[in-house]
Amino acid sequence: MSEGYSNIIKNGLWDNNIVLKQSLALCPLLAVTSSATNGLGLGLATLVVMVASNLINSMAKGVISKTVRIPVNVIIIATLVTLTDALLNAYLHQLHKVLGLFIPLIVTNCAILGRVESFASRSKVFPSLVDGVFMGIGFTWVLTVLGAIREIIGSGTLFTNASLLLGPHFAFLETTIIPDYRGLLLIILPPGGFIMLGLGLALKQKLEAVWQENKQRQSGMVPEGDM
């Protein structure tokens, strides 16, 4: 049982990561991650929707007919996104203004419907909950890291306006990494998102190749001279 949950966690965070492996949700990723704050905000909003949709679908799968399962799932996700949008507008209005249209567009995020269809509709409640949590965390950390890298290279800051967008408790995150830095506008613009995402995907493949070679060497499958 623990091994099964371990695989779910690894899949969500790395092995089957929504962005780095499945290459889904790239539109909001490229448009929103001009700063770490924006990436974290959208990632957390998506995380909430993903967890709730997985949980509700798994609990209701016994009473939802297969013939209408997909439309019902879309309605569930749309309802959760609407609630999330309203809560962000009420309590984190500045973040809501920055993310704008990309909050309602969470409905069209095929990663959420994909997890509901491929996992929650076929699994028990707790595994579905764990899957939603770690798939959401995996998506959130990629958005945040990509946003942080683009923000540092593009403007020399990190988590700028975190206190305004996420609340005063997040003021400690605001940091100037490179003082008196004029910035590199290209990295903040959408083309910079494509560049950094491509480098990230290449880095993931390189790391996995190195890890695989190390495992084979430790198991004696690859002679030392071939490395």
Side-chain angles (χ1 to χ4, degrees):
M1 180 66 71
S2 60
E3 183 179 352
Y5 287 118
S6 176
N7 289 333
I8 293 174
I9 293 171
K10 288 172 57 181
N11 283 335
L13 296 179
W14 184 262
D15 291 347
N16 197 30
N17 185 274
I18 290 174
V19 176
L20 299 179
K21 183 65 175 181
Q22 301 181 51
S23 296
L24 299 176
L26 298 186
C27 178
L29 179 137
L30 295 171
V32 170
T33 57
S34 57
S35 74
T37 303
N38 294 351
L40 177 61
L42 183 62
L44 292 177
T46 306
L47 167 64
V48 170
V49 174
M50 184 169 289
V51 171
S53 59
N54 264 24
L55 183 61
I56 293 173
N57 183 270
S58 181
M59 295 173 62
K61 65 179 181 293
V63 297
I64 300 177
S65 172
K66 292 183 179 180
T67 57
V68 296
R69 188 175 64 201
I70 292 180
V72 170
N73 289 339
V74 172
I75 292 173
I76 292 173
I77 294 171
T79 302
L80 293 171
V81 171
T82 302
L83 292 173
T84 302
D85 183 60
L87 290 172
L88 284 175
N89 193 16
Y91 296 103
L92 294 172
H93 183 64
Q94 292 298 321
L95 179 63
H96 183 271
K97 288 172 62 178
V98 171
L99 297 180
L101 182 63
F102 290 101
I103 300 175
L105 284 178
I106 294 175
V107 177
T108 64
N109 189 335
C110 48
I112 299 177
L113 182 60
R115 294 317 298 171
V116 167
E117 278 294 303
S118 65
F119 194 93
S121 62
R122 296 171 172 81
S123 304
K124 295 181 179 179
V125 173
F126 191 69
S128 299
L129 177 63
V130 174
D131 179 78
V133 169
F134 285 95
M135 279 290 172
I137 293 176
F139 182 63
T140 302
W141 83 253
V142 172
L143 261 68
T144 305
V145 170
L146 183 61
I149 295 172
R150 292 178 65 188
E151 183 180 356
I152 292 171
I153 298 175
S155 59
T157 61
L158 184 62
F159 286 104
T160 184
N161 295 325
S163 59
L164 295 176
L165 299 180
L166 300 173
H169 297 296
F170 290 86
F172 71 94
L173 294 174
E174 300 177 5
T175 308
T176 299
I177 304 296
I178 310 175
D180 302 322
Y181 178 55
R182 299 186 63 181
L184 183 60
L185 182 60
L186 173 65
I187 300 300
I188 299 178
L189 295 175
F194 278 104
I195 294 171
M196 300 312 298
L197 176 60
L199 292 175
L201 293 174
L203 178 60
K204 180 179 185 293
Q205 291 186 358
K206 180 61 177 178
L207 288 174
E208 289 180 340
V210 171
W211 293 339
Q212 185 64 28
E213 288 179 357
N214 289 336
K215 288 181 180 179
Q216 291 177 349
R217 182 174 60 185
Q218 292 172 4
S219 63
M221 297 178 62
V222 178
E224 291 289 339
D226 293 343
M227 297 300 294

